[in-house]
Amino acid sequence: MKRLLLFAVVATLFAAYSKDTIEELQNSKPIVNEVPETITVGFEDEATGKGVITFDGNVTKIGKEAFYNCESLASVYCKATTPPTLGSSVFDYNASDRKIYVPASDDDSIINEYKSGWSEYASSIYEYDFVNNTPIL
């Protein structure tokens, strides 16, 4: 839980200091690109302590080990229709039931692109209807 809380602070600093990616925040390299509108870290259920992170559609890159060993991270919502580039081991050692939700599409093109680009996590990627806030399992 401490590591997830640390990432809440990192995500806040990320937005506050106009960093483009979590990796660049970790390396403290200032950049001139626009910051994503939202990166939200919180808890899905205070009783269970399951962690949640949401990336808006402007995120293009998630750096190496950004959420490595966040054992309580159970849900990742990525609203981008094009999968952000992942560094290595980004979501390794999260909660055993961790799910990654991506935008739903009529032809499955978005989920297929995520499963191809994020192949190490393909078995935990699911479509999500962000308009109605409903997973499509």
Side-chain angles (χ1 to χ4, degrees):
M1 185 157 134
K2 289 180 185 177
R3 188 166 170 99
L4 184 61
L5 213 41
L6 171 64
F7 283 108
V9 172
V10 168
T12 301
L13 290 174
F14 170 68
Y17 290 101
S18 298
K19 302 296 180 181
D20 188 38
T21 66
I22 292 170
E23 182 176 61
E24 287 166 338
L25 176 62
Q26 291 170 337
N27 294 330
S28 298
K29 294 179 183 175
I31 52 124
V32 294
N33 294 349
E34 289 183 29
V35 70
E37 291 174 16
T38 59
I39 297 176
T40 307
V41 179
F43 289 100
E44 182 175 356
D45 182 343
E46 290 182 13
T48 65
K50 295 289 186 177
V52 177
I53 186 163
T54 302
F55 296 100
D56 80 353
N58 295 325
V59 175
T60 58
K61 185 176 177 184
I62 304 171
K64 175 183 175 186
E65 298 179 351
F67 301 98
Y68 182 88
N69 205 31
C70 288
E71 295 173 356
S72 65
L73 182 58
S75 300
V76 176
Y77 296 88
C78 192
K79 296 180 177 182
T81 54
T82 300
T85 303
L86 288 187
S88 62
S89 305
V90 171
F91 298 115
D92 289 3
Y93 301 105
N94 294 160
S96 60
D97 60 345
R98 189 244 310 108
K99 290 181 174 57
I100 299 170
Y101 296 104
V102 302
S105 62
D106 291 336
D107 62 0
D108 292 336
S109 60
I110 296 172
I111 193 169
N112 290 338
E113 192 173 351
Y114 269 91
K115 286 186 174 190
S116 174
W118 294 13
S119 58
E120 63 271 36
Y121 308 112
S123 65
S124 64
I125 297 175
Y126 300 91
E127 287 185 304
Y128 194 86
D129 179 349
F130 286 103
V131 173
N132 296 308
N133 293 321
T134 308
I136 300 170
L137 303 173

